[in-house]
Amino acid sequence: MFLQIKNLTKKYNKVEAVKNISFSAKEKEIICILGPSGCGKTTILQSIGGFIKIDEGEIILDGVNIEKLEPEEREIATVFQSYGLFPHKTVIENIIYGLKFRKYRKRDAIAEGKKMLEILNLVGYENKRVTELSGGEQQRVALGRALIVKPKLLLLDEPFSNLDTNLRASMRKELLRIRDHFNITMLFVTHDQEDAFSIADRIIVMNKGRIEQIDTARNIYFNPRTEFVLNFIGSANVDRGYFVRPEAIRVSPEGKEATVIDKTFKGAFIEYILDYKGNKYKMLRLNNEEEFEIGSKIKIEMEMREI
Ligand SMILES: Nc1ncnc2c1ncn2[C@@H]1O[C@H](COP(=O)(O)OP(=O)(O)OP(=O)(O)O)[C@@H](O)[C@H]1O
Ligand SMILES: [Mg+2]
């Protein structure tokens, strides 16, 4: 495996922020780390990047133990949530910053920087100050600055959190393109499940400093291994160890009776709250399907699955 994390533990003042975490990544793999606030996502990235000292565990990148190396010795680049750009420098100065420490001549560094501008669709922006850029443009500069040193591993901590929905979608495509262009392995922390579903080869779901499940998006969604994963990813109706996703409830003349007690227009979907055998169930239907009014009785069927 290209990246191996073995039994990583990090304590802050005796409180374990992450406990005995192990996982690995193949070369070129994109792994997304999902989990609620405070579950230890940033702690994992900072441990791998070398910005904090770990208490226990091993970090192996491309066959080499790196847990004792300084951050700049690790061949890893990080894009922080706040981008961390230099506000007084221009776009190109920001992008080529990391080459200073790699004994590049200025002229060669600028040539490399210009190539990066092309890859990131930032041609024409080189002499602007980063404070004059939009959030999405700053995001791309931050990526460029991380990638120019050709790291083996790219760590991204909530990199799209300041972007609107459309820009987010195009940055996801951009990231996949960058992965293919540079053959780079990525660890991507996000709050956004759609980010994870659309770009991750595998997803790690975390809770309270521990890993709940590592799996493909489909397996996480269809075969959640714990009740935490089930409830954290998407939404679900749960009854005594069995669950059904809201979109898997079907309306059918052969079904059993339920009463519509609420409904909400969600754009592409309509979300219904049903009273079914005395319990509340959430049902999702596409907006072009037959619509039901609050108070009406309908017939539904579903297959509950074991968690
Ligand atoms: N420098 C620190 N000193 C003490 N405790 C810390 C420090 N940094 C993080 N923690 C604690 O460690 C735990 C994990 O924090 P971490 O920043 O890794 O969470 P996170 O999953 O990245 O959360 P978020 O989604 O809010 O960014 C939290 O309980 C946090 O309060
Ligand atoms: Mg964090």
Side-chain angles (χ1 to χ4, degrees), residues 60-210:
I60 302 161
L61 180 62
D62 202 8
V64 179
N65 271 75
I66 61 166
E67 68 271 357
K68 295 200 172 65
L69 301 182
E70 295 299 320
E72 58 276 13
E73 298 170 327
R74 290 191 185 201
E75 299 189 76
I76 295 174
T78 307
V79 177
F80 298 99
Q81 181 167 356
S82 53
Y83 311 156
L85 296 173
F86 304 114
H88 302 300
K89 290 190 193 285
T90 62
V91 167
I92 189 103
E93 286 166 347
N94 265 283
I95 287 183
I96 65 176
Y97 183 76
L99 297 181
K100 260 193 189 167
F101 309 99
R102 308 208 172 205
K103 302 195 182 83
Y104 267 73
R105 280 185 306 175
K106 183 95 192 223
R107 199 184 333 136
D108 298 334
I110 289 175
E112 284 293 308
K114 289 199 164 149
K115 268 194 251 165
M116 189 59 74
L117 290 172
E118 266 171 47
I119 292 163
L120 296 171
N121 294 324
L122 285 170
V123 175
Y125 287 77
E126 46 267 50
N127 295 317
K128 282 200 176 193
R129 290 193 184 283
V130 292
T131 46
E132 299 173 286
L133 305 182
S134 74
E137 289 157 355
Q138 291 184 30
Q139 185 66 75
R140 278 178 278 157
V141 174
L143 269 174
R145 196 179 60 171
L147 289 166
I148 200 148
V149 298
K150 300 197 173 70
K152 288 182 171 171
L153 177 67
L154 182 62
L155 307 175
L156 303 127
D157 198 349
E158 301 270 3
F160 302 160
S161 53
N162 295 334
L163 309 184
D164 65 45
T165 315
N166 290 335
L167 206 47
R168 248 187 137 95
S170 66
M171 283 306 293
R172 287 180 195 138
K173 290 213 183 82
E174 192 90 15
L175 210 60
L176 292 173
R177 215 164 51 80
I178 286 169
R179 184 258 303 264
D180 293 336
H181 193 273
F182 292 93
N183 287 329
I184 204 163
T185 308
M186 300 191 194
L187 272 188
F188 184 112
V189 165
T190 178
H191 269 104
D192 187 297
Q193 301 188 11
E194 219 171 291
D195 278 350
F197 283 146
S198 37
I199 63 171
D201 296 303
R202 285 185 302 151
I203 295 172
I204 297 179
V205 182
M206 287 188 62
N207 180 28
K208 294 184 184 151
R210 293 182 189 278

Side-chain angles (χ1 to χ4, degrees), residues 40 56 63 79 87 91 94 134 140 144-145 174 213 244 246 271 276 286 288 290:
E56 276 167 60
V79 177
V91 167
N94 265 283
S134 74
R140 278 178 278 157
R145 196 179 60 171
E174 192 90 15
Q213 189 165 353
V244 62
E271 183 185 287
Y276 177 64
L286 285 170
N288 57 1
E290 186 190 356

